[in-house]
Amino acid sequence: MQRDFNLRRVGQLTLDVRCVDLFNTNKTDATIYGIRELTVHNPARRTFLINLTWKFNEARSKYRGSGAGEKQKARM
């Protein structure tokens, strides 16, 4: 999930939240009996990641967006 906050004069803040294995599906439990007994236990690891990005002093450009530079091209 990603959310952008435009704070106008101070910049732009971006919050990115991610979760790995939310429903605990990557779980491994195994016991194998044979000549040797083998036991494997891999508990699921839920991981939450939060990324916070702040862009400040972004240069404002009058040439951004669709049709950028059309007036300048027509003038020439």
Side-chain angles (χ1 to χ4, degrees), residues 1 16-17 23 27 31 36 39 42 49 60:
M1 182 173 77
D16 187 18
V17 179
F23 298 110
K27 193 181 207 181
T31 304
R36 295 184 182 149
T39 303
N42 182 14
L49 305 165
R60 302 273 182 220

Side-chain angles (χ1 to χ4, degrees), residues 7-74:
L7 303 177
R8 295 188 182 159
R9 294 185 183 206
V10 293
Q12 182 177 358
L13 185 68
T14 302
L15 176 67
D16 187 18
V17 179
R18 297 174 190 215
C19 179
V20 178
D21 196 22
L22 180 64
F23 298 110
N24 201 15
T25 57
N26 192 18
K27 193 181 207 181
T28 305
D29 262 337
T31 304
I32 300 172
Y33 296 102
I35 299 172
R36 295 184 182 149
E37 181 181 328
L38 177 66
T39 303
V40 176
H41 179 70
N42 182 14
R45 306 219 184 236
R46 290 185 190 139
T47 307
F48 292 94
L49 305 165
I50 298 175
N51 188 9
L52 189 62
T53 306
W54 178 31
K55 296 177 185 174
F56 57 94
N57 282 340
E58 286 188 320
R60 302 273 182 220
S61 174
K62 63 180 179 181
Y63 301 110
R64 280 200 300 203
S66 61
E70 292 299 322
K71 283 185 179 178
Q72 286 74 12
K73 283 193 243 175

